[in-house]
Amino acid sequence: MTRSPAPFSLLALAAAGAAAATSPLAQAGPAATITVSHGLDIARPSETIVLPWSEINRVLPGALIQRIAVKDAAGRVLPYQVTNIAPLAKDPKNVGIAYGELIFQHNFAAGEQRAIFTVEKTDTVTPPFPVQAFARFVPERLDDFAWENDKLAHRTYGPALGAPAPAGSAKEVLVTSGLDIWFKRVPYPVVERWYNKGHDHYHKDEGEGMDMYNVGKTRGAGGTGVWDGALLYTGNNFTGWKVLANGPLRAIFELSYDSWDAGGTAVSEVKRFTVDAGHYLDRIESTFTFAGKAGIEVGVGLNKTPTDKGQVPDIKIGHKAPGILMQWAEQASNGAMGTAVILPSATGFGQDRLNHLVLAPAASGKPLRYYAGAAWSRSGDIQSGQDWERYLVAAAARDADPVTVSVAATP
């Protein structure tokens, strides 16, 4: 089992960097011009723009991640993130060649298909920006893995929760690879605080949101399995994890699942999650490994009975091309919630006793890309099933038309 670094205070980090987006930063040298374009007429809020740092280094040699400013066409300073995809890379001359990717975001208005940005060297240090995307292993809660952005939080379950309870103990036992949701009504990070205040508190809305979603043996909101046309064969709790990037705008991590029997075929899985600020859906790439056949059919699921007891939900299920499986549940006292999966390569839909499914073929060793997430009427943005459907249709269109990015030296 991989071990996580020591926990840190996200709220403190957010407070320390809160002024970064508005503080003046003195330009001390040349700049790079970034042009971002796409082909849709719809709005694209919180569009995540990613480019290799090598492109910045090419036109802006010597730029360092703590001494740059990213600005939009109006000169506003934007929050940014620089990843390190090669943590053992060397930079003996200190010229900034060992970084991975530069990440920032832009809210494209409807009809705005092109935007210009600059990256400038500064002669002052840029403080960290408030954290809007975060993920970590939670060994103190029976090996959970939890993640969140400013819209939504999630968790899923590790080896300690799946282990048998010692004789005479009251330890909880749950064996599942389903994905859980914590619904938020605040934009700041809550995962650390909710784990600290404990189970009996975060299952009530005490002002920041609540855990009101049930997973159990189901797929939860976006878990996977192997479908044979009648039965869904699913793995157990994750057994390994790796964090690849951790905010402030994007978190990337992987969860690995040991081999399970899928109707006579041994299948293992690695999921890579990309969690972006401002989005209700995470991008997930599931890579299945198996032998003895050309491919398998994968089902990505939504729990048929996701609400707490006593909520007498009115649940509506929708199926839309391309590969949108959506759920909207009106509850007695907990507001309304929507869940969804978007599977661009979907070939159909199905269901078993526990789950609604969207189906697609998968080859061994090749990632299957899909999106999964949820929204809550009390969070403010999405109030109805119609709102949720519009959001999902737009998200599918954005996946089919990714932005293009080019970099040039500023004249």
Side-chain angles (χ1 to χ4, degrees):
M1 171 64 67
T2 312
R3 293 299 168 196
S4 65
F8 58 90
S9 171
L10 292 179
L11 294 175
L13 180 57
T22 56
S23 298
L25 296 166
Q27 182 177 347
T33 297
I34 300 171
T35 303
V36 183
S37 59
H38 67 98
L40 300 179
D41 291 327
I42 63 172
R44 300 178 74 135
S46 300
E47 186 67 40
T48 304
I49 298 158
V50 181
L51 63 155
W53 183 265
S54 58
E55 286 294 288
I56 299 298
N57 188 259
R58 176 177 61 83
V59 298
L60 203 58
L64 302 175
I65 65 173
Q66 75 276 22
R67 290 184 179 272
I68 61 168
V70 178
K71 298 181 180 180
D72 65 13
R76 291 182 290 259
V77 176
L78 304 178
Y80 68 85
Q81 173 178 345
V82 178
T83 65
N84 188 344
I85 57 174
L88 299 181
K90 303 297 183 182
D91 185 13
K93 297 182 180 180
N94 295 317
V95 295
I97 61 171
Y99 308 140
E101 296 172 319
L102 173 66
I103 299 172
F104 60 97
Q105 291 189 324
H106 177 64
N107 295 317
F108 282 93
E112 180 189 10
Q113 296 181 324
R114 185 171 178 267
I116 307 294
F117 308 89
T118 58
V119 179
E120 305 168 357
K121 291 182 180 179
T122 65
D123 57 10
T124 57
V125 171
T126 304
F129 295 93
V131 172
Q132 299 181 71
F134 170 68
R136 85 166 175 95
F137 178 57
V138 191
E140 66 270 29
R141 216 307 294 199
L142 295 172
D143 291 349
D144 281 2
F145 196 98
W147 64 100
E148 66 179 310
N149 63 6
D150 52 322
K151 299 295 188 183
L152 196 67
H154 302 259
R155 66 172 169 176
T156 192
Y157 309 107
L161 185 63
S169 77
K171 174 192 170 294
E172 181 183 0
V173 178
L174 179 59
V175 178
T176 183
S177 56
L179 304 181
D180 194 12
I181 302 164
W182 284 359
F183 290 94
K184 296 171 56 170
R185 59 195 304 177
V186 293
Y188 55 77
V190 301
V191 161
E192 300 284 21
R193 176 179 284 179
W194 288 16
Y195 274 116
N196 285 342
K197 71 181 186 177
H199 178 279
D200 292 333
H201 285 269
Y202 59 67
H203 280 275
K204 302 174 183 177
D205 184 0
E206 298 180 334
E208 295 177 320
M210 64 188 298
D211 176 7
M212 60 179 178
Y213 190 82
N214 290 310
V215 178
K217 295 289 188 178
T218 78
R219 299 299 77 215
T224 52
V226 179
W227 179 245
D228 73 354
L231 296 175
L232 188 70
Y233 297 92
T234 61
N236 295 328
N237 304 37
F238 74 83
T239 55
W241 62 272
K242 180 190 297 183
V243 174
L244 303 172
N246 217 352
L249 299 175
R250 168 173 282 187
I252 306 173
F253 62 93
E254 292 181 349
L255 300 177
S256 56
Y257 296 83
D258 285 349
S259 178
W260 71 93
D261 178 17
T265 299
V267 178
S268 61
E269 180 184 10
V270 175
K271 287 184 181 295
R272 175 175 288 198
F273 294 76
T274 300
V275 183
D276 283 349
H279 292 254
Y280 287 99
L281 302 171
D282 299 334
R283 187 173 81 233
I284 305 172
E285 295 168 292
S286 277
T287 301
F288 299 90
T289 301
F290 53 89
K293 56 173 61 178
I296 57 174
E297 187 168 34
V298 172
V300 186
L302 297 177
N303 181 7
K304 286 183 174 181
T305 56
T307 64
D308 285 339
K309 293 179 180 179
Q311 289 299 313
V312 291
D314 177 13
I315 300 177
K316 293 181 173 62
I317 292 291
H319 306 84
K320 293 183 69 68
I324 299 174
L325 172 63
M326 64 169 287
Q327 185 183 65
W328 187 259
E330 298 279 355
Q331 303 176 95
S333 61
N334 284 341
M337 66 176 178
T339 60
V341 172
I342 301 176
L343 179 53
S345 60
T347 55
F349 299 91
Q351 60 180 298
D352 67 0
R353 182 176 59 87
L354 298 175
N355 309 282
H356 296 285
L357 302 169
V358 56
L359 309 171
S364 183
K366 295 184 178 180
L368 178 69
R369 184 182 81 258
Y370 67 96
Y371 298 81
W376 188 27
S377 61
R378 289 181 181 171
S379 70
D381 295 336
I382 294 174
Q383 296 292 308
S384 67
Q386 292 76 20
D387 290 344
W388 188 222
E389 181 176 337
R390 283 191 290 269
Y391 180 88
L392 298 172
V393 169
R398 291 170 67 170
D399 171 78
D401 187 82
V403 297
T404 60
V405 183
S406 63
V407 184
T410 301

